[in-house]
Amino acid sequence: MTLAEEYLWNEIRAKRLGVTFRRQHPIGDYIADFACLACKLVIEVDGGVHQEPEQKEHDTIRTLDLERLGYRVIRFTNEEVLTALPDVVSRIRNYLTNNSI
């Protein structure tokens, strides 16, 4: 895991948000950074390479494929996680509250 992924994992693991997240979980042809299977939520933490045009295209296809499998994908940058972790966790919590299981 990257440093940003470690920081986020420490905030969402062990049902800290009321649901179980798995890290590096396979879904279809992909490995999600974090996944809540019960609420069909995937959280991706993207580093700088995800700003490259080719990677952006790959990420779009990946998101569409995961959505076809019934998952909602939320993406955060490494920078967001490292500099605004409470806001990131709040956005996840809001999603979980507004899209209850």
Side-chain angles (χ1 to χ4, degrees):
M1 284 196 298
T2 65
L3 183 60
E5 289 171 343
E6 285 182 39
Y7 279 17
L8 183 55
W9 177 242
N10 286 330
E11 295 296 319
I12 66 174
R13 66 186 179 94
K15 287 194 171 187
R16 291 185 177 167
L17 295 179
V19 296
T20 300
F21 279 94
R22 298 176 183 208
R23 62 184 172 159
Q24 299 298 301
H25 185 75
I27 300 173
D29 294 334
Y30 305 103
I31 297 178
D33 290 339
F34 306 103
C36 175
L37 303 181
C39 58
K40 304 284 272 187
L41 176 64
V42 169
I43 299 172
E44 295 289 329
V45 180
D46 297 337
V49 70
H50 292 268
Q51 297 304 312
E52 299 293 326
E54 186 175 305
Q55 187 62 45
K56 280 185 173 187
E57 182 178 333
H58 174 76
D59 288 344
T60 298
I61 293 167
R62 175 186 173 105
T63 297
L64 290 171
D65 287 346
L66 290 168
E67 287 174 346
R68 282 187 200 104
L69 293 171
Y71 287 85
R72 167 73 162 101
V73 179
I74 300 176
R75 292 186 173 276
F76 298 101
T77 64
N78 282 347
E79 184 177 333
E80 285 177 296
V81 173
L82 294 173
T83 63
L85 186 57
D87 292 336
V88 167
V89 173
S90 178
R91 286 173 55 192
I92 296 167
R93 184 177 284 113
N94 286 341
Y95 176 84
L96 293 171
T97 300
N98 295 322
N99 298 282
S100 58
I101 303 166

